[in-house]
Amino acid sequence: MTSQSKTTPSFDVVPLETEVVIVGGGIIGACTALELARRGIPVVLCEKGTIGEEQSSRNWGWVRKMGRDVREMPLMMHAMKLWDELPGLIGADPGFRRNGITYFCDREQDMAKYEAWMKVMEPFGLDTHFVGRDRANALAPGNTRNFAGGLHTPSDGFAEPHLATRLIAEGARKLGAVIVEGCAVRGFE
């Protein structure tokens, strides 16, 4: 997919009324529009440039449970389920892959800082586990360091943020959301 929009910028076709206006066409705005449209709630998403081109295009795309605050974990468990359901909902593959995420440690004693986190997360039944030197280095082929080990979560993954954001917004549009690009919001009436 190119950076060119699949949706046509609607400079003169902004609805006069709606139930919800979302300002910002990043991953959160697109997902919010998708959920509202799925529920049949009239929604307009306004983006000053093009969908997914601002901050959402600059992150690493990690979708992870590992390293989260315990208060975030129920939301992350639910989010992982939603990522798995997205292709059927939007009619396209948003590129989410569960290839695992690893936090690498240069020294064995550095792994001890994760022990308290592992203990707090036990009730969630995560597949996060410690890996030793050989496994850590195998998880990073071609690395120029000799990692002492790390923390690995096989079920965590990533999605290419720009592609995912555009496809989610397109899915929201198919479900009835109005997506308006090239529309900087300066106020509401």
Side-chain angles (χ1 to χ4, degrees):
M1 175 164 298
T2 67
S3 64
Q4 294 296 319
S5 170
K6 279 190 138 185
T7 58
T8 303
S10 303
F11 299 107
D12 60 348
V13 190
V14 177
L16 296 177
E17 292 183 345
T18 189
E19 292 292 316
V20 178
V21 174
I22 298 169
V23 178
I27 190 84
I28 299 301
C31 287
T32 303
L34 178 67
E35 183 61 21
L36 291 168
R38 186 183 71 77
R39 294 177 186 213
I41 299 171
V43 58
V44 176
L45 185 151
C46 298
E47 167 55 46
K48 70 178 176 188
T50 55
I51 298 294
E53 291 288 335
E54 296 291 335
Q55 186 58 41
S56 289
S57 70
R58 296 179 183 100
N59 70 59
W60 291 0
W62 286 10
V63 181
R64 64 178 172 81
K65 299 171 297 296
M66 187 168 59
R68 295 281 182 184
D69 185 284
V70 69
R71 296 166 291 188
E72 296 175 300
M73 196 54 63
L75 179 61
M76 285 314 303
M77 302 290 278
H78 184 67
M80 294 302 254
K81 181 177 177 258
L82 293 176
W83 275 102
D84 289 335
E85 295 171 357
L86 264 177
L89 183 59
I90 65 174
D93 179 3
F96 175 60
R97 302 292 182 263
R98 287 182 185 263
N99 292 348
I101 292 179
T102 306
Y103 288 179
F104 296 98
C105 296
D106 290 318
R107 301 172 308 154
E108 285 184 31
Q109 57 265 38
D110 293 339
M111 293 195 301
K113 67 183 177 183
Y114 296 115
E115 288 175 5
W117 182 85
M118 291 283 285
K119 186 76 172 159
V120 170
M121 293 300 160
E122 282 179 6
F124 296 101
L126 303 180
D127 59 343
T128 304
H129 58 274
F130 288 102
V131 293
R133 181 178 305 278
D134 291 341
R135 181 70 179 131
N137 288 293
L139 288 167
N143 80 77
T144 58
R145 296 159 71 173
N146 186 16
F147 295 112
L151 194 63
H152 181 68
T153 305
S155 62
D156 281 351
F158 63 91
E160 196 287 310
H162 180 260
L163 173 66
T165 303
R166 293 215 53 81
L167 291 172
I168 292 166
E170 181 63 20
R173 189 195 61 73
K174 289 176 187 174
L175 292 173
V178 175
I179 309 294
V180 185
E181 297 181 87
C183 179
V185 174
R186 304 281 187 235
F188 295 95
E189 293 182 15

